[in-house]
Structures are given as C-alpha cells and as structure tokens.
Amino acid sequence: MTSLDDISVTQLKGVGSALAEKLAKLGIHSIQDLLFHLPYRYEDRTRVVPMGSLRIGDIAVVEGEVMKADLVMGRRRSLQVTLRDDSGFLVMRFFHFNAAQKNQLTEGARVRCFGEVRPGRAGYEFYHPEYQVSPPPMAAAGEATLTPVYPLTEGIQQPRVRGLCQQALGYLARFPIKDWLPPSLLSDYQLPGITDAVKLVHSPPADAAVHLLMEGRHPAQQRLVMEELLAHQLSLLQVREQIQARAALPLLPTGDLPEQFLEQLPFSLTGAQKQVMKEIRQDLSQPVPMLRLVQGDVGSGKTVVAALAALQAIGSGAQVALMAPTEILAEQHFRNFQGWLAPLGIELAWLSGKVKGKARQEALAAVASGQAQVAIGTHALFQDEVQFHRLALVIVDEQHRFGVHQRLALREKGVGGQLAPHQLIMTATPIPRTLAMSAYADLDTSVIDELPPGRKPIETVVLPDSRRDDIVERVRTACRQGRQAYWVCTLIEESEALQCQAAEVTAQELAERLPDLKIGLVHGRLKAVDKASVMERFKSGELDLLVATTVIEVGVDVPNASLIIIENPERLGLAQLHQLRGRVGRGEQASFCVLMYHPPLSNNGKARLQALRDSQDGFFIAEKDLEIRGPGEVLGTRQTGLMQFRLADFERDKGWIEPVKGMAPALMQQPAVVSALIRRWLGENIRYGEV
Ligand code: ADP
Ligand code: MG
C-alpha cells in the first residue's frame, strides 16, 4: 500500500521544482516529511489583549484607535503611530512604509495589529506589526484557533508553510500515518494516535486547550514529544548494537600487574573507585565490546581507574590507547602513566599531532609492533597511519568533546580490524542524570560518587574587579607561604588569539606587580614543548604563579596549588567554572577560589555565581547549568546535533526520559519499527547510523 512517505511534496498544488528544492533543505521530501515538520510554537491571535496588560516580549493582538501618526526623523526616519484602547496605549513603528499606509493610519482610524512588544523611545512598541484597518469582528471565542509557527529556511515564508501543511492534512483521510507504538502504551499514558496528534498540532480545533498548546503540554504534542524522544533513544541503542555486533577480545589477565600497581600507590582506592573497577573488570572479561561511561566529580580519581583498566588489557597481552582532547591533558596523562607503569616494565608511546619526524616514526613503529603496550595522545591517535598491533581497549578522557560518530568509528581499530576494542569513556563534567540517560543511551554508566578522604572544601568568593589590588595581594601572601596559585584569563571563546593576548598582558602586569614571584604563562598558542615545560616547572614548584587561559580547565593536577583567581567568570558556563575551580583543593591545605567579575552583573549572572559559591557538588551544579543553558551547551558542540529536537524541550519534557528508556528495549526487538521511527524523526541527520 502506498504510504505518505512515498508521495512526493511535488504532488501538492503550488510546489514546483524551485520550492521542492527549498523544502529539501528542511529535510522535507515526502508528504509525510511535511506533516512531521511541526510547529514549534503558536501565536494566539484568538483574542484581543488590553494594551495596559502588555509586557515586554509578549506577542499579542491589540485593537484600538489611532491617537496620532507622526513622521519621526531621528537616526532613521520612521512612521510612529500611537494607538489607544481603554486600558492604555501602544506605538506601531514602521521604518519602511508607503504613502497609502500613511494615509490609512490617520487619527481616529480603528486598527487591529499583531506583534511583539519591545521597549521603544515612545514606550512599548510593535515594529512592523501585521495590521488591519477597520478590522472585521473577531471570531467568537468558540470558533477561533491558534496560529501555528513553523521552522523556516531562506525563501519560504510562514504562510506558505502553513498552506502546504493544510494541504497535506487533506491526505490523511485516505492515507493515515502508520502508528508504530503499541495501543496499550498509548492508553497507559492516555495519548492520542499518531494521525490525530499530527492533525491537531497543525490545525488545533477551536476548543483545544489554548494554554496547554501554548506551553507544549497538550496530549497531542506530548504524544509527538514522546515519540521523538523515543526515536532518539532508539538511534543511540542502534549505534550500540552496531558496535556490539562485532566481537571483542575478552581480557582475562594473568600475572599480578594490578596488585603491583596498587602497592606502589601512596593511597588506597575509595569505595566508589573499587565499585566502578568491579563493573569495568566484569565488562572487560566479556567477548563483547565494553561501552562504558565513567562519571565522577572533579578530583574523584578517574585517572587511577583508567590505569587499572589499562593494566587489565596489558596483563592479557593486548594494547591500550588513551586519548585526551587537549595536548596539555594528554601530556599530563602520559607523565602520570609513565610514572605508574614504567616501573612495572610497561612501555608507552606518545603521539600527538605535534610529534614529528623521527620521534613520530619511532612511536608509530613501537605501536605497530606491539612493543609499546600503551599509546597516549590526542585524536592524532586515530589517524589511519597509526596501526596498532593488538589494540583491545580504548580509553577516551573528557567524552563531552567527542561525538557518537567517533565512537562508531573506533569499532574499526581493533585487533586485526575484526575484533572491536572495548571503550571506556571518562567525563570530567558530571552530567545530569536525565541528560546522561538520553544523550548517552548507548553507554552503560558508572559513577564515582565519593571523593578521596581528607579533601578540604574550597572557599569561593565573588568579587568585583575593582578589588583587583586586594586580590593581587592575596596571591602574594599565598605564594610567600609556599603555596602556588593559578590566574585564569577568560575571553569570549571564539577568539583564541585574543584570549592568549589577554593572558600575555595579564602575565606581564602581574610580573611587574609581583616582582618577587616566579610567574609562568600557558595558553593554546604556545608550542607543545613550551607548554609542557611551563606545566612541568609549575608542577615541580619552581613557578609560584601560573597565568593561563581556560586550557587548564580539565585534568591539570598540582596538589600544592591552593588559590585560583578566575577573571570574568560571568562569561563561562557553570560546569566549566566548576572544572576550573577543581584545579585547587587537591592537597592538604585549605583552598580558595576568587571569582573576579566585571560589573555590572545581570541578575542571572549573579544567581549563577552564587550557585557556584554555595555549592561544590558537581552534579548539583550540572543540573543548574542544564536549567540555565540547555543540553546543547552543557554537552558541548559535538553532541548538540543529537540533542536538537523538533518538538521536545529538554527541561519541559524530562519527565519522559525515564519511561522512554523503559520502552526502548522491547521496541529494539522490531528492527522495522526502529528504522521507521528513526527515519521519521531524525531523517537525514542520522547518517552515522549507516557508517
Ligand atoms: P579526576 O577524577 O578529576 O580526573 P584525578 O584522577 O586527577 O581526578 O585525581 C585527583 C587527585 O586525587 C590525584 O592527585 C590523584 O592521585 C588523587 N587520588 C586519586 N584517588 C585517590 C584516593 N583513593 N585517595 C587519595 N588520593 C587519590
Ligand atoms: Mg581527570
């Protein structure tokens, strides 16, 4: 039977090849695609709002009489039309207008207009509103409907899309949309069938609950939201299936490497570290690739866990790759692992994009022959020229900068290209539970929910930059007492060059003001060797103060550093600030973090910095960050594609995450349903599913 998926949009009246091409840019090819091009909000044009009740940002219909219409010269010439009703007044402003308009909008004319309230020089204003002079009576309360608003692309206007969707709805009587969800599930949640839901959201009937529709909480919308979240969940589970369709080398170590390693550590593992190790050990012993995410707050000791996992692979005669997102972090891991593993007779190779010439050839040869049991580096590790001898475990630090595509690609790197390596993913940033359940549905999760004993809380203060002199003194005092400090310069992230420049200027200024201190500087534009040598000098205590950009955000571990100054913290996300702050509080002594902001601070900015001052719980801070900035920002750019929903809103709809996670496994047994739902909701965005 023909389905709406097989009927091209060109069947619709008015859709020629030019329009079809534009629609294709929106991912719309078939009538079904069009019907799943859903309104992301509605305009309420059903009732006239009293002007006196408007607030900035309201989108509303008002109706009144023209009090006066003036040509205003100012910086840009405009036509300023003041309307009034019984409750107040409002200005319509036009920067482009013709004589006919001007002649129509004269004193005493009756006007109905629709627009968004903005603060203007004459009070509240609508810029270029849609308007009608001498409007017909409004539809009676029982007859009016909401106006859907659709996502657009260049060259297609709102009314055009509305018209096409209305035409497409006409097909539903003959070709209902296939409902892939079991009826029992719909009745459990009291949700409508798919065809009814689609019809309703495109063309809400007059008696539909307006406030629910406006908020996206109408059952018809929620039915679609749920299906969309489910489709995303299924697509990740499909990735997991594709990876686990390959076998893996079960890692069953002989010898006592882990015991030797633990003996040489100056501390014993926390209960949480032991628990997580148990989970990892179990996974690694299976002939199926492990896909595990380890989360833990800053300083919870993820690196040791990574090392123990590595030893399980090495003890089984296999190789390990450890990848970090930045040079500094990779370098630090290399040093840590070198210090821990070399005494056990294990060989390591270092590979970053900046390792060139003979050193590179040697590293590549050591990895290819299996002489190096561990390879550590940046993503350069996974270029084609890097051939492993017997790779069985890939550890990725700081997952949030890494996407699901790469996870899938790693599958190809295993032993002989046949066996897939186990994957252990570590994130520095705690991820709110709901977000982890949806964005990392392809991974099993372990949480290190305990800090090593003896950590002192970090005291955080929020100060304006007018206190800079005091803060500089504070650095002097701390360093005189033998402590070390970080001074972090931030700028808008887009401009790395400017950020580095700012750090250079600050380093110079501080050097002049603190002549008795030894000051180092690191930023993203330094050569890798220079960066490494500055870090090393700071680590060994030779430098007192490290001026840095946000490159030191993750992983850097210098326990003697107990003071961190962060300039312009209002520019950064909470999770990032929490990470930066986590550079201190790693040693014996009490630690301090100074958030030095540039006034004035917005209310939102104030609330954010206070949240950070008042809490040191990374999971709590991550929840706040998610509320304030949304999932795309919290996860970092690579993952955002995944979290771009048509209809679902992560905050509003997080109540679905748990049920959806529960529904998914049963549906996975029906591959036809899985691919139909993924195709319906993710369409062309799902290329990685086919790699
Ligand atoms: P993160 O989870 O932020 O990556 P790290 O692995 O860098 O944390 O560990 C932070 C610091 O805590 C390191 O100096 C590490 O040696 C130390 N550490 C790790 N585990 C323990 C433990 N069980 N007891 C004491 N110190 C520990
Ligand atoms: Mg770390």
Side-chain angles (χ1 to χ4, degrees):
M1 197 188 92
T2 322
S3 90
L4 286 180
D5 229 357
D6 306 322
I7 307 179
S8 160
V9 277
T10 52
Q11 298 292 308
L12 296 175
K13 278 197 279 302
V15 183
S17 60
L19 184 53
E21 227 166 82
K22 287 175 192 157
L23 289 170
K25 280 199 194 130
L26 292 167
I28 300 171
H29 307 279
S30 68
I31 305 257
Q32 169 142 323
D33 293 336
L34 186 58
L35 288 170
F36 279 87
H37 190 66
L38 298 164
Y40 62 97
R41 65 180 177 86
Y42 296 90
E43 286 167 353
D44 185 358
R45 303 189 184 198
T46 63
R47 60 204 171 91
V48 172
V49 174
M51 294 177 194
S53 72
L54 293 175
R55 285 164 309 169
I56 290 169
D58 283 357
I59 296 174
V61 180
V62 299
E63 189 168 326
E65 188 177 299
V66 176
M67 265 166 73
K68 55 179 177 156
D70 303 313
L71 261 183
V72 186
M73 298 320 275
R75 221 166 357 130
R76 273 175 81 194
R77 197 176 75 123
S78 64
L79 176 64
Q80 174 179 316
V81 181
T82 309
L83 300 178
R84 95 173 140 205
D85 66 9
D86 294 341
S87 67
F89 69 97
L90 179 95
V91 168
M92 301 196 293
R93 187 178 301 283
F94 300 90
F95 294 101
H96 309 281
F97 53 92
N98 53 36
Q101 278 177 300
K102 202 168 141 246
N103 295 337
Q104 252 188 336
L105 295 167
T106 50
E107 198 180 320
R110 189 139 199 96
V111 175
R112 181 184 299 153
C113 65
F114 175 80
E116 178 178 349
V117 182
R118 306 201 196 187
R121 53 188 134 146
Y124 284 0
E125 302 192 353
F126 281 180
Y127 290 179
H128 284 272
E130 291 176 37
Y131 70 94
Q132 272 178 300
V133 177
S134 308
M138 292 284 282
E143 292 162 26
T145 71
L146 294 178
T147 309
V149 182
Y150 294 92
L152 299 175
T153 185
E154 214 178 303
I156 306 187
Q157 310 296 329
Q158 216 43 260
R160 193 62 176 271
V161 180
R162 269 180 215 138
L164 291 176
C165 287
Q166 292 304 317
Q167 265 195 70
L169 289 175
Y171 282 74
L172 286 177
R174 269 177 301 150
F175 305 100
I177 300 169
K178 173 85 183 150
D179 205 331
W180 298 105
L181 301 186
S184 60
L185 199 133
L186 297 180
S187 66
D188 282 353
Y189 290 100
Q190 305 198 328
L191 295 172
I194 190 74
T195 302
D196 288 344
V198 165
K199 227 187 272 175
L200 190 138
V201 299
H202 285 292
S203 189
D207 61 354
V210 169
H211 66 285
L212 290 181
L213 277 167
M214 296 293 283
E215 290 176 8
R217 296 179 197 275
H218 190 282
Q221 289 163 309
Q222 287 291 302
R223 148 78 211 227
L224 296 166
V225 161
M226 184 262 261
E227 194 176 298
E228 178 172 36
L229 291 170
L230 185 61
H232 278 257
Q233 185 84 18
L234 293 172
S235 79
L236 284 169
L237 293 182
Q238 197 183 52
V239 167
R240 181 183 174 88
E241 248 181 22
Q242 286 168 354
I243 295 175
Q244 294 197 328
R246 291 274 177 83
L249 195 68
L251 301 176
L252 305 165
T254 52
D256 63 348
L257 283 176
E259 289 75 14
Q260 288 184 45
F261 169 71
L262 289 171
E263 248 164 55
Q264 67 166 26
L265 278 184
F267 48 75
S268 49
L269 297 185
T270 62
Q273 283 170 320
K274 284 185 191 152
Q275 174 57 34
V276 169
M277 264 328 292
K278 214 166 105 188
E279 291 161 5
I280 294 173
R281 210 174 301 128
Q282 167 66 22
D283 283 357
L284 290 177
S285 66
Q286 303 300 311
V288 186
M290 171 172 80
L291 284 167
R292 186 167 286 277
L293 174 72
V294 173
Q295 292 195 65
D297 209 340
V298 189
S300 60
K302 294 181 286 284
T303 321
V304 171
V305 167
L308 277 164
L311 287 173
Q312 183 161 344
I314 297 162
S316 314
Q319 279 178 307
V320 180
L322 169 59
M323 188 186 81
T326 67
E327 212 49 53
I328 285 191
L329 192 52
E331 170 86 28
Q332 177 171 295
H333 279 317
F334 183 68
R335 277 160 201 268
N336 267 335
F337 273 62
Q338 181 90 356
W340 284 334
L341 305 187
L344 306 178
I346 294 165
E347 277 203 42
L348 294 90
W350 165 244
L351 259 175
S352 83
K354 296 194 173 136
V355 177
K356 299 248 154 68
K358 186 151 170 275
R360 184 171 195 85
Q361 291 317 315
E362 281 171 9
L364 287 173
V367 173
S369 70
Q371 180 198 335
Q373 290 127 305
V374 184
I376 298 183
T378 55
H379 50 261
L381 270 183
F382 295 111
Q383 284 161 358
D384 284 341
E385 61 164 339
V386 185
Q387 296 292 329
F388 289 87
H389 176 64
R390 203 171 150 77
L391 179 65
L393 171 62
V394 173
I395 303 173
V396 182
D397 199 6
E398 318 307 347
Q399 158 67 13
H400 65 299
R401 308 197 180 192
F402 199 69
V404 82
H405 316 59
Q406 285 96 331
R407 223 136 65 211
L408 204 51
L410 284 182
R411 193 177 50 161
E412 309 303 326
K413 284 284 177 183
V415 181
Q418 291 305 309
L419 297 174
H422 298 280
Q423 298 187 25
L424 178 63
I425 288 125
M426 327 272 285
T427 86
T429 321
I431 302 164
R433 212 175 67 91
T434 46
L435 190 52
M437 278 200 289
S438 52
Y440 297 103
D442 58 330
L443 302 176
D444 298 310
T445 306
S446 297
V447 180
I448 308 182
D449 52 3
E450 181 187 358
L451 293 179
R455 289 280 161 82
K456 301 231 171 56
I458 303 165
E459 190 183 318
T460 301
V461 291
V462 181
L463 294 174
D465 54 13
S466 54
R467 300 277 304 278
R468 198 179 177 94
D469 290 348
D470 300 339
I471 295 166
V472 171
E473 278 318 302
R474 199 163 175 162
V475 171
R476 189 199 309 273
T477 313
C479 293
R480 273 215 188 119
Q481 292 170 351
R483 313 264 171 270
Q484 288 167 283
Y486 297 98
W487 189 292
V488 184
C489 307
T490 64
L491 269 185
I492 336 104
E493 250 183 278
E494 279 72 27
S495 171
E496 207 204 350
L498 283 179
Q499 202 181 38
C500 300
Q501 206 180 5
E504 270 162 19
V505 171
T506 304
Q508 220 158 40
E509 178 218 325
L510 290 171
E512 278 160 28
R513 298 176 65 166
L514 299 166
D516 42 346
L517 299 190
K518 293 227 173 57
I519 301 179
L521 170 68
V522 280
H523 57 59
R525 299 211 146 186
L526 288 186
K527 281 201 204 118
V529 280
D530 297 337
K531 242 187 286 186
S533 103
V534 175
M535 291 308 299
E536 200 41 47
R537 285 165 63 209
F538 188 64
K539 199 157 189 169
S540 70
E542 188 191 324
L543 296 173
D544 302 300
L545 174 63
L546 187 66
V547 178
T549 58
T550 51
V551 292
I552 60 152
E553 179 189 341
V554 283
V556 173
D557 183 37
V558 180
N560 189 48
S562 64
L563 173 61
I564 184 164
I565 318 294
I566 304 174
E567 281 198 70
N568 305 117
E570 66 275 18
R571 289 174 178 156
L572 303 182
L574 284 182
Q576 198 179 4
L577 287 169
H578 178 64
Q579 274 302 315
L580 279 170
R581 176 172 63 179
R583 296 314 107 216
V584 300
R586 295 173 163 253
E588 301 290 295
Q589 64 280 7
S591 291
F592 300 89
C593 169
V594 179
L595 302 175
M596 184 171 74
Y597 67 91
H598 185 66
L601 210 49
S602 67
N603 280 339
N604 178 303
K606 227 174 264 169
R608 285 167 6 97
L609 296 187
Q610 269 164 17
L612 202 73
R613 187 190 63 196
D614 297 342
S615 175
Q616 233 171 282
D617 174 347
F619 282 91
F620 170 81
I621 289 169
E623 291 283 354
K624 284 265 163 228
D625 213 24
L626 179 60
E627 272 169 38
I628 296 170
R629 296 192 308 152
E633 291 292 316
V634 171
L635 288 177
T637 46
R638 294 289 182 94
Q639 290 277 3
T640 39
L642 259 182
M643 299 302 289
Q644 259 159 15
F645 299 121
R646 296 179 187 200
L647 215 54
D649 172 277
F650 204 84
E651 262 312 291
R652 182 190 63 206
D653 301 318
K654 60 186 175 197
W656 278 120
I657 307 281
E658 195 113 38
V660 156
K661 188 156 175 107
M663 294 166 203
L667 284 167
M668 285 302 286
Q669 306 304 315
Q670 300 167 261
V673 175
V674 172
S675 53
L677 285 174
I678 293 176
R679 154 97 184 85
R680 180 181 283 178
W681 287 99
L682 287 97
E684 296 169 344
N685 298 330
I686 198 69
R687 294 228 177 75
Y688 61 81
E690 294 145 23
V691 172

